[in-house]
Amino acid sequence: MILLAIESSCDETSAAVMVNGELKSNIISTQLIHTQWGGVVPELASREHQKAIIPVVEEALQKANISKNQLNAIAFTRGPGLLGALLVGTSFAKSLALSLNIPLVEVNHMQAHVLAHFIDEPKPIFPFLCLTVSGGHTQLVWVKGPTEMEIIGETLDDAVGEAFDKTAKLIGLHYPGGPLIDKLAKEGDPLKFKFPMGEIPGLNYSFSGIKTAILYFLQKEIQKNPNFVEESKADICASVQYTLIEILLKKVKRAMREKNCTQIAIAGGVSANSGLRKRLQDLGEKEKWNVFIPAFSYCTDNAGMIAMAGHFKAIQGEFCGQDVSPLARMEF
Ligand code: KG4
Ligand code: ZN
């Protein structure tokens, strides 16, 4: 099974080639144009995807040493994501599949984040729990099989990645702020400032309350000392990051107990956070869990994970027709 995979759901144009489940190339072109706007501008994202998609696909094929005519199928992200951005990848995948007369495999981006764990060793064994944390989603997923997943908890409002990015914006850091907070937090005191954790019942999350609490806290402190943010940047980052991780892990512990599970994985852009990686690792040691942490290159959006998800479907003959259209919102 020689598969080309395409990802274009947000601000990364990516293409990957997978041969019999083995990833041969994973080219990612990150759109830098959004930095100056403080967030992803959907229309600009679509235009950037259009510019990047052909060179990115060509590079992926070249690096894998595979020609178009050797491809058996094309996998692509159908959703969820920005509709205009998804349209570029979907239309490209459909046209190429049509011209090569090969089948298409539609992939759910959030399932692909989870399945990124099957690209390299060590791989989890089904069933396991996955905490998927990205710019648009925060989900506790009960993973029964490659296409059998159940969301047992999710955010009721903002995603945790948004909480990172919005906090970063408040203290003058550019988009995407998550990695910058992570870096600054390393030099700060995580217990210096206290933020409310909120009390959401069950396994769901909420991050809008903490976002407002951070805003009011900063306004109050700046009133007392106009240089507060500059003088306390590292401590603010460390304390915010600490609280966000605390919120995430509290529900992870609860879900692991409820499911009587001993395998936990993290996925999505925020799983690149060094604080989250370390604290989950420590918690796993204490609780005697098997902890699966993805390589950095598979945390944020990439077509390698789309290829992995596509591979699982393709070997089961789960193809889709040329009438498929992208979905901004897509259920499991
Ligand atoms: O999965 P992803 O690349 O795109 C979506 O599907 O949303 O996730 C992007 C999110 C952004 O909010 C970004 O700030 C966050 O992941 N992120 C991080 C880190 N690296 C990326 N957040 C915290 N710490 C990081 N090191
Ligand atoms: Zn993503």
Side-chain angles (χ1 to χ4, degrees):
M1 175 57 66
I2 306 182
L3 202 69
L4 171 71
I6 290 164
E7 155 64 30
S8 74
S9 66
C10 192
D11 57 346
E12 260 100 23
T13 317
S14 181
V17 173
M18 184 168 266
V19 179
N20 296 328
E22 203 180 306
L23 192 63
K24 297 291 181 190
S25 65
N26 188 18
I27 307 299
I28 305 164
S29 164
T30 302
Q31 305 178 355
L32 301 173
I33 195 161
H34 306 290
T35 310
Q36 58 188 299
W37 303 103
V40 178
V41 184
E43 176 62 25
L44 294 180
S46 310
R47 292 185 203 188
E48 293 299 301
H49 282 307
Q50 278 191 322
K51 279 189 232 163
I53 196 145
I54 292 175
V56 163
V57 166
E58 276 179 350
E59 196 180 335
L61 289 167
Q62 207 169 41
K63 191 163 175 219
N65 204 14
I66 292 288
S67 77
K68 284 191 200 85
N69 295 328
Q70 288 175 279
L71 296 173
N72 299 124
I74 301 179
F76 66 97
T77 305
R78 185 180 181 195
L82 301 169
L83 196 62
L86 290 164
L87 262 169
V88 179
T90 308
S91 312
F92 186 89
K94 282 163 76 171
S95 325
L96 190 58
L98 195 63
S99 70
L100 296 170
N101 197 21
I102 54 174
L104 286 163
V105 188
E106 58 159 285
V107 170
N108 180 308
H109 179 92
M110 298 313 295
Q111 290 197 343
H113 269 301
V114 175
L115 296 172
H117 282 284
F118 293 84
I119 299 175
D120 288 335
E121 299 289 345
K123 297 171 188 173
I125 298 162
F126 299 109
F128 63 94
L129 185 77
C130 184
L131 171 69
T132 314
V133 276
S134 72
H137 296 81
T138 304
Q139 298 174 334
L140 276 167
V141 187
W142 183 236
V143 192
K144 291 175 269 189
T147 52
E148 251 186 294
M149 300 188 198
E150 188 192 339
I151 298 170
I152 58 169
E154 64 188 326
T155 183
L156 303 175
D157 40 59
D158 292 352
V160 66
E162 259 177 291
F164 270 102
D165 295 338
K166 286 178 180 170
T167 303
K169 204 168 178 177
L170 288 175
I171 57 171
L173 303 174
H174 67 69
Y175 178 86
L180 302 172
I181 292 201
D182 188 356
K183 202 168 157 212
L184 281 162
K186 289 189 178 122
E187 269 111 59
D189 175 2
L191 301 176
K192 179 84 184 220
F193 306 116
K194 291 264 177 308
F195 298 104
M197 301 247 305
E199 279 305 324
I200 302 297
L203 295 174
N204 287 331
Y205 290 106
S206 165
F207 292 98
S208 65
I210 182 169
K211 182 185 70 188
T212 314
I214 295 165
L215 174 70
Y216 289 160
F217 163 79
L218 290 175
Q219 284 174 343
K220 203 176 92 207
E221 294 299 324
I222 293 167
Q223 233 170 27
K224 287 190 269 177
N225 169 14
N227 297 324
F228 174 72
V229 169
E230 275 322 304
E231 287 167 11
S232 313
K233 217 170 230 177
D235 289 336
I236 299 169
C237 289
S239 302
V240 168
Q241 180 170 299
Y242 177 84
T243 313
L244 293 175
I245 296 170
E246 200 66 18
I247 297 171
L248 289 173
L249 294 186
K250 197 174 156 195
K251 298 293 169 97
V252 165
K253 267 193 259 182
R254 186 175 174 153
M256 290 293 276
R257 218 174 30 235
E258 282 183 17
K259 287 289 181 189
N260 199 13
C261 179
T262 55
Q263 292 182 98
I264 173 78
I266 46 170
V270 181
S271 68
N273 183 269
S274 57
L276 176 60
R277 294 164 86 93
K278 168 87 178 61
R279 298 247 315 269
L280 183 64
Q281 203 64 272
D282 292 347
L283 182 63
E285 262 168 47
K286 196 173 135 223
E287 301 280 344
K288 301 198 168 39
W289 296 339
N290 263 336
V291 178
F292 296 88
I293 293 178
F296 284 113
S297 50
Y298 304 140
C299 289
T300 43
D301 293 347
N302 68 92
M305 67 185 197
I306 306 301
M308 194 67 249
H311 174 82
F312 280 121
K313 283 183 136 185
I315 55 172
Q316 288 179 36
E318 274 189 59
F319 301 108
C320 67
Q322 278 284 340
D323 55 346
V324 69
S325 54
L327 296 170
R329 288 171 156 269
M330 190 176 175
E331 304 297 321
F332 272 15

